[in-house]
Amino acid sequence: MTKKVKVSGLRKSFGKLEVLRGIDLEIDEGEVVCLIGPSGSGKSTFLRCLNRLEESTGGTIEVDGFEISDKKQNINKVRENIGMVFQQFNLFTNKTAKANLMFAPVQLKKMKRAQAEKRAMQLLIRVGLEDKANSYPHQLSGGQQQRVAIARALAMNPDIMLFDEPTSALDPEMVGEVLQVMKELAMDGMTMVVVTHEMGFARDVADRVLFMSDGLLVEQGTPDEIFSAPKEQRTKDFLSSVLKV
C-alpha cells in the first residue's frame, strides 16, 4: 500500500493555546478515514494542517511523498493534488456552477477551455447537477452548492480529498444528497480524510475512525471497534452523548 499521508509528532499552537499536541498518523492510498470528537478537539485544525492552510508548530507532514511542513516546499503545487471541501461552500458567487468548476483547471493547470468545460460537465453529471450548469450559487440549495463544491475540488484530479464537516451548514433534508456523493467517491477508491458529526456516515463508509479529544488522537480503529467496543473512557463518553445510547 502506498502511504498517502504520514504525520509525525504534529503540533499546532495559537499563541499559548496548544490545539494539537503531538499527532502521529499514517493513511494508505484509497483509505477513508473519519475524524470524530467534540468541538474544539483539534479536528479541523489537523485537517487544515494537511494542506498547510494552517502552519504547523512542530512535527512533520508528508502528503504524496512531499514534506509539506517544509517551508521551502512549493505548497501550491502540492495543493493541486489535495482537494478540500469546507463547511461553507466557498463558491465564487459571480460564476455559474460550470464556471466555478472550470476556473482552477484553466488558471492553474492551463487546461484549454473546451477541455475544462467538458470535464466540468462530466463532474456535474457525477454529482447529479448537470441541469444546474448555468445556475449561480444563489440559485442553488445548500446541498446543491456543496455538491458543486465537491465537483470543483474533483476538477483538479486530486489524489486525496479533505472534507471539513461538509454537511454541518446544511439543512437536515439536504445532508443525505451530499453524503451520497461522498459515499460514491469512497467506493471509487478516493483517499479521503473526513471531519464529520455524521456518525452513520463514519460507521458505514470509513475504513478507520479516529477519535480526537483535547488535541490528541485518543483512539482509532475500524468503525465496528470504535462504535461497538470503544476502549477509552473519553471515547465512550463522547459516543454515548452523540448517539444518545
Side-chain angles (χ1 to χ4, degrees):
M1 268 292 190
T2 314
K3 295 283 181 232
K4 283 314 235 188
V5 180
K6 285 177 79 167
V7 177
S8 304
L10 178 64
R11 293 181 174 275
K12 172 65 184 175
S13 297
F14 294 98
K16 290 184 177 166
L17 178 65
E18 197 172 24
V19 179
L20 299 175
R21 302 192 288 151
I23 303 278
D24 297 302
L25 180 65
E26 293 192 355
I27 297 171
D28 289 329
E29 185 168 355
E31 191 174 16
V32 178
V33 172
C34 283
L35 274 73
I36 64 171
S39 295
S41 58
K43 305 183 300 296
S44 291
T45 301
F46 171 74
L47 203 69
R48 292 169 70 85
C49 285
L50 290 184
N51 65 355
R52 223 167 84 192
L53 284 176
E54 296 288 358
E55 296 278 359
S56 53
T57 313
T60 59
I61 304 167
E62 257 185 54
V63 178
D64 260 349
F66 295 97
E67 190 180 320
I68 67 164
S69 40
D70 179 355
K71 302 287 189 284
K72 295 191 285 287
Q73 186 62 253
N74 179 353
I75 189 60
N76 290 327
K77 197 75 196 147
V78 179
R79 275 196 195 129
E80 287 184 11
N81 292 326
I82 307 172
M84 179 99 182
V85 178
F86 301 88
Q87 293 179 34
Q88 304 301 336
F89 322 120
N90 292 4
L91 296 173
F92 298 115
T93 54
N94 62 336
K95 293 183 187 297
T96 63
K98 182 170 68 177
N100 262 282
L101 269 64
M102 291 171 61
F103 182 77
V106 169
Q107 295 295 320
L108 300 176
K109 289 202 166 174
K110 305 301 180 211
M111 192 183 278
K112 295 228 173 4
R113 288 193 66 81
Q115 189 187 355
E117 185 169 6
K118 183 180 175 188
R119 174 82 178 135
M121 287 309 299
Q122 288 170 343
L123 288 167
L124 287 171
I125 289 167
R126 185 172 183 178
V127 298
L129 289 173
E130 63 271 28
D131 58 330
K132 301 293 185 186
N134 296 314
S135 299
Y136 289 87
H138 73 270
Q139 297 170 313
L140 302 172
S141 70
Q144 288 170 337
Q145 287 186 63
Q146 191 61 295
R147 284 189 280 157
V148 171
I150 293 172
R152 183 178 64 174
L154 291 172
M156 291 295 282
N157 287 324
D159 293 329
I160 180 170
M161 288 279 282
L162 309 177
F163 293 88
D164 188 7
E165 297 188 20
T167 58
S168 65
L170 298 178
D171 293 331
E173 68 270 18
M174 292 171 190
V175 169
E177 65 191 58
V178 172
L179 293 181
Q180 185 56 39
V181 171
M182 292 169 65
K183 283 180 185 174
E184 287 164 12
L185 273 183
M187 286 162 62
D188 288 345
M190 176 64 77
T191 309
M192 294 164 61
V193 187
V194 185
V195 173
T196 186
H197 290 300
E198 300 291 338
M199 297 302 143
F201 176 83
R203 189 189 289 249
D204 293 344
V205 181
D207 296 300
R208 195 159 30 129
V209 176
L210 278 49
F211 173 69
M212 281 184 74
S213 183
D214 300 318
L216 295 168
L217 196 48
V218 175
E219 188 170 355
Q220 57 177 301
T222 64
D224 209 38
E225 287 167 342
I226 297 297
F227 288 108
S228 303
K231 296 185 178 70
E232 301 291 331
Q233 190 58 47
R234 272 189 287 181
T235 316
K236 291 174 186 171
D237 291 347
F238 171 75
L239 288 173
S240 68
S241 72
V242 295
L243 299 173
K244 305 286 189 289
V245 177

